[in-house]
C-alpha cells in the first residue's frame, strides 16, 4: 500500500504553533520534512516542561527511530544547523535520523550581511523587518542561478569557483553601495569546507528518501515554516518572506508529487499575531493587544521581538483555506483567550464605505481598510486540562463552531496549552 503525505501549514503570519502541532502529531508519523524557509523560523516545542526551539531542524527530531528531512527548498545556514544539532546532542535528544538534500541552497555569511545592510538602507515606510538571517539574498542567488548548494560544500573545486565569483560581486555591493567592509575569501572558503565535512554524513537524495518511504506505506509530515500571508506570491507582498510556505510549496521543496498529499492541516492561532513590518487590519494596539502578548508569550522565538497582536481575521483565514486546499484546521492557543469578556473576529474589510469579504494582499489597500468586527462572548473557565470538546465552556465551543461554519473546514485539533499533550483531538 502507498503511503501518504500530510502537511502542517501556517495559515496566518507565522508563529501559529506549527512546531508544537508537528510534535504533538509525531507518534503517527514516519518522516518529518521541512520544505522551505531557513533559520528565520522559530518553532517551539515543549515536552514535559523542557523547551526546545527549532530553527532549521524539523520539529520531529525528538522522536526515536524516525527520519527528519531538510528538503531542497530550504535555505540552510550550516553554522546555525550545526549549533542546533550539537545543542540537541548535548541534551541527548537527537533521536531521529537526519537527511539533508544536497540541492538545498546554503546561506553564506555574505547573505546575512547583505540582508542586514539592505534592511538598514530601506526607508522607514519600506522596511520589511526581516529576521536578518540572509533568507532573501540566498533565494535571490538561487533564482539567479549562482547560488551555492549543500553538494558544493563537498566539492572543493566547485566551491572555490562559485565562491570566488559570488564574493567578487557581493564585495562590490558591500564596498560601493552599502559602505561596508569586504569579506575575506580565504576565511569563508575554509569555513565552508569545514561545514561540508560536518554535514557530509547527513547529505542524501531527500526526494528519493521520501518517495521510498511512501512506497513502503509510510506517513510523511510536511512542516511548513512562516505562514500563508508571508508567502512570496500569495502574501502581503513585499512584506513577506522569500519562499512559498503554502501547501503547494511542499511538493516543489521536497520533490514529492501532489497526489500524495491527502491532508492539509492549517494551523490557526485563536487570535492573530504578526512580527516585522506590514499591514495588520485587525491589530489591537491597546490593552487587549498587550493582554494577548503577555498571556500568549508573544515574543519572537528567533529574534525576541514583541509580536503585534489582534483579533482573528476571517477574511484572511478563508483566503488561506482556499490557497492551501485546507482539509483540517488546527486551532492553537484557545486557552489564551480565557478571561476575556469579549472575543472579536474581523469579518470584513471596510474601504470607501464598502465592505469586502474577499482577501486582497495589496498593501496599499490593506493599510487603508477598517476592520468590521463580530463580537463573541468570552469565558472564564480554565480550559488547559480539557481534552474533550464537549467539556469546553459553551462560549468557547460556539467560537470554534463559528470558525468551522465560516470556513467550511473542520477544526480537528484544539490547542489548550503548549505541552505535547495539551490538545483536544476531535478527528484526524
Ligand atoms: P511556530 O513558528 O508556528 O512553530 O510557532 P512558535 O513556536 O513561534 O510560537 C508559538 C508559541 O505558542 C510557542 O511558544 C508555543 O509553545 C506556544 N503554543 C503553541 N500552541 C499553544 C497552545 O495551544 N496554547 C498555548 N498557551 N501556547 C501554545
Ligand atoms: P515561523 O516559521 C513569523 C517575517 C519577518 C519579516 C518577514 C521577512 O516561526 O512561523 P525574512 O527574514 O524571512 O526575510 O523576513 O517575514 N518572518 C516571520 N514571522 N514567523 C516566522 O517563522 C517568520 N519568518 C519570517 O518578521 O516580517
Ligand atoms: Mg515561530
Amino acid at each position: 500500500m502507498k503511503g501518504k503525505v500530510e502537511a502542517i501549514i501556517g495559515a496566518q503570519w507565522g508563529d501559529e504553533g506549527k512546531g508544537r502541532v508537528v510534535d504533538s502529531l509525531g507518534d503517527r508519523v514516519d518522516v518529518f520534512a521541512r520544505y522551505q524557509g531557513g533559520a528565520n523560523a522559530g518553532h517551539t516545542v515543549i515536552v514535559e516542561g523542557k523547551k526546545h526551539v527549532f530553527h532549521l531542524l524539523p520539529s520531529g527530531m525528538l522522536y526515536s527511530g524516525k527520519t527528519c528531512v531538510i528538503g531542497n527548498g530550504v535555505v540552510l545556514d550550516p553554522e546555525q544547523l550545526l549549533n542546533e544539532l550539537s545543542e540537541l546532542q548535548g541534551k541527548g535528544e537527537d533521536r531521529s535520523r537526519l537527511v539533508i538534500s544536497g540541492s538545498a541552497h546554503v546561506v553564506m555569511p555574505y547573505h546575512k550581511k547583505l540582508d542586514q545592510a539592505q534592511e538598514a538602507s530601506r526607508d522607514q515606510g519600506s522596511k520589511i523587518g526581516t529576521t536578518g538571517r540572509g533568507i532573501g539574498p540566498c533565494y535571490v542567488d538561487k533564482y539567479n542561478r549562482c547560488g551555492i548548494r549543500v553538494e558544493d560544500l563537498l566539492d572543493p573545486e566547485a566551491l572555490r569557483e562559485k565562491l570566488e565569483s559570488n564574493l567578487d560581486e557581493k564585495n562590490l555591493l558591500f564596498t560601493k553601495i552599502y559602505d561596508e567592509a569586504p569579506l575575506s575569501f580565504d576565511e569563508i572558503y575554509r569555513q565552508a569546507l569545514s561545514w561540508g565535512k560536518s554535514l557530509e554524513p547527513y547529505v542524501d537524495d531527500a526526494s528519493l528518501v521520501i518517495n521510498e518511504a511512501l512506497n513502503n506505506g509510510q506517513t510523511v509530515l510536511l512542516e511548513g515554516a512562516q505562514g500563508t500571508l508571508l508567502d512570496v506570491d500569495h502574501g502581503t507582498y513585499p512584506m513577506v518572506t522569500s519562499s512559498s510556505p503554502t501547501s503547494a510549496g511542499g511538493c516543489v521543496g521536497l520533490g514529492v508529487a501532489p497526489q500524495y498529499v491527502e491532508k492539509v492541516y492549517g494551523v490557526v492561532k485563536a487570535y492573530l499575531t504578526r512580527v516585522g513590518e506590514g499591514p495588520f487590519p485587525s491589530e489591537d494596539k491597546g490593552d487587549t493587544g498587550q493582554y494577548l502578548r503577555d498571556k500568549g508569550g508573544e515574543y519572537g522565538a528567533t529574534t525576541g521581538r514583541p509580536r503585534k497582536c489582534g483579533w482573528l481575521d476571517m477574511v484572511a483565514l478563508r483566503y488561506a483555506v482556499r490557497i492551501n486546499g485546507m482539509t483540517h484546521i488546527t486551532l492553537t492557543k484557545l486557552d489564551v483567550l480565557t478571561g476575556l469578556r469579549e472575543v472579536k473576529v474581523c469579518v470584513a474589510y471596510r474601504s470607501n464605505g464598502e465592505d469586502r469579504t474577499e482577501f486582497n494582499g495589496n498593501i496599499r489597500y490593506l493599510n487603508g481598510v477598517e476592520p468590521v468586527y463580530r463580537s463573541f462572548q468570552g469565558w472564564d473557565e480554565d480550559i488547559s486540562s480539557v481534552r474533550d470538546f464537549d467539556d469546553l465552556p459553551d462560549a468557547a465551543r460556539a467560537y470554534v463552531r463559528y470558525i468551522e461554519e465560516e470556513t467550511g473546514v473542520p477544526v480537528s485539533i484544539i490547542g489548550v496549552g503548549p505541552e505535547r499533550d495539551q490538545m483536544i483531538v476531535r478527528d484526524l
Side-chain angles (χ1 to χ4, degrees):
M1 201 187 66
K2 286 277 187 192
K4 60 176 188 296
V5 174
E6 299 182 354
I8 304 291
I9 306 291
Q12 296 158 327
W13 276 297
D15 302 326
E16 299 90 348
K18 299 173 292 292
R20 77 72 49 111
V21 172
V22 167
D23 173 76
S24 291
L25 294 180
D27 268 341
R28 48 200 292 283
V29 174
D30 301 293
V31 180
F32 300 84
R34 271 283 303 269
Y35 59 88
Q36 48 70 235
N40 49 349
H43 297 175
T44 315
V45 171
I46 300 179
V47 186
E48 289 168 5
K50 272 196 255 165
K51 177 171 160 176
H52 309 272
V53 182
F54 296 101
H55 298 284
L56 271 161
L57 290 173
S59 301
M61 283 299 289
L62 303 170
Y63 280 89
S64 312
K66 316 243 169 164
T67 302
C68 278
V69 172
I70 296 181
N72 56 278
V74 170
V75 289
L76 187 145
D77 176 343
E79 203 174 358
Q80 173 71 46
L81 182 94
L82 292 167
N83 281 343
E84 248 184 276
L85 251 182
S86 66
E87 200 182 312
L88 214 55
Q89 282 162 351
K91 293 194 270 187
E93 305 262 23
D94 60 321
R95 301 208 171 87
S96 274
R97 162 193 172 217
L98 177 65
V99 171
I100 298 174
S101 167
S103 313
H105 278 250
V106 180
V107 178
M108 300 296 284
Y110 47 81
H111 291 132
K112 288 189 260 191
K113 189 172 160 108
L114 197 55
D115 186 2
Q116 288 156 24
Q118 286 175 334
E119 186 67 5
S121 75
R122 289 186 183 111
D123 298 335
Q124 201 47 46
S126 52
K127 284 194 191 299
I128 297 169
T130 73
T131 58
R133 299 294 164 108
I135 306 300
C138 186
Y139 278 113
V140 166
D141 282 356
K142 168 174 174 169
Y143 287 97
N144 198 22
R145 294 154 297 176
C146 65
I148 292 175
R149 310 209 295 184
V150 168
E151 64 194 9
D152 298 323
L153 300 179
L154 313 181
D155 179 343
E157 268 326 294
L159 178 64
R160 172 179 291 281
E161 213 174 284
K162 288 192 173 196
L163 184 59
E164 268 170 1
S165 71
N166 271 291
L167 202 55
D168 283 351
E169 189 205 22
K170 300 303 187 289
N171 276 340
L172 275 179
L173 289 174
F174 290 136
T175 53
K176 304 279 184 216
I177 296 187
Y178 295 108
D179 203 18
E180 295 273 351
L183 293 175
S184 142
F185 172 87
D186 288 342
E187 208 174 296
I188 299 179
Y189 185 60
R190 222 178 310 119
Q191 209 172 22
L193 285 176
S194 102
W195 288 335
K197 285 213 170 66
S198 306
L199 294 179
E200 195 165 9
Y202 307 105
V203 179
D204 205 340
D205 184 335
S207 163
L208 189 61
V209 168
I210 290 178
N211 281 278
E212 280 176 351
L214 291 170
N215 287 340
N216 290 331
Q218 296 193 329
T219 298
V220 177
L221 195 71
L222 310 191
E223 176 178 350
Q226 290 79 53
T228 304
L229 304 175
L230 288 170
D231 185 282
V232 69
D233 286 281
H234 304 292
T236 51
Y237 189 90
M239 276 45 178
V240 292
T241 191
S242 299
S243 67
S244 303
T246 38
S247 56
C251 296
V252 181
L254 288 166
V256 59
Q259 67 264 31
Y260 287 110
V261 183
E262 282 191 8
K263 291 180 182 167
V264 178
Y265 292 90
V267 185
V268 178
K269 204 180 280 190
Y271 49 99
L272 192 52
T273 62
R274 177 166 202 170
V275 61
E277 302 302 323
F280 181 174
S282 61
E283 181 180 4
D284 186 305
K285 293 182 177 160
D287 292 347
T288 311
Q290 188 59 43
Y291 176 88
L292 293 170
R293 186 157 38 251
D294 290 342
K295 190 150 181 229
E298 297 297 352
Y299 295 87
T302 295
T303 59
R305 292 178 290 179
R307 298 170 181 155
K308 298 171 202 160
C309 296
W311 300 109
L312 186 64
D313 181 337
M314 292 309 297
V315 180
L317 180 54
R318 286 191 302 100
Y319 174 74
V321 165
R322 158 157 66 93
I323 295 291
N324 291 296
M326 221 180 272
T327 58
H328 299 69
I329 286 176
T330 297
L331 188 69
T332 57
K333 305 188 100 161
L334 189 64
D335 54 302
V336 175
L337 297 181
T338 300
L340 288 171
R341 208 161 36 85
E342 178 193 31
V343 175
K344 294 202 286 186
V345 174
C346 171
V347 294
Y349 297 156
R350 186 162 294 166
S351 168
N352 297 323
E354 195 193 330
D355 289 357
R356 285 206 210 162
T357 54
E358 288 301 334
F359 186 78
N360 174 345
N362 182 293
I363 62 165
R364 285 174 301 283
Y365 163 73
L366 281 178
N367 277 327
V369 300
E370 282 290 319
V372 179
Y373 287 116
R374 176 169 165 175
S375 177
F376 288 80
Q377 205 193 322
W379 59 92
D380 278 326
E381 297 88 334
D382 178 359
I383 62 170
S384 59
S385 338
V386 173
R387 298 291 178 270
D388 191 331
F389 184 70
D390 293 333
D391 293 337
L392 282 175
D394 290 349
R397 282 207 310 268
Y399 186 61
V400 173
R401 290 212 171 100
Y402 166 78
I403 294 170
E404 292 186 312
E405 277 158 26
E406 272 302 298
T407 57
V409 180
V411 173
S412 54
I413 299 171
I414 299 168
V416 291
E419 273 279 351
R420 185 178 272 177
D421 68 344
Q422 284 188 300
M423 296 207 313
I424 298 171
V425 180
R426 298 173 74 196
D427 161 43
L428 289 176

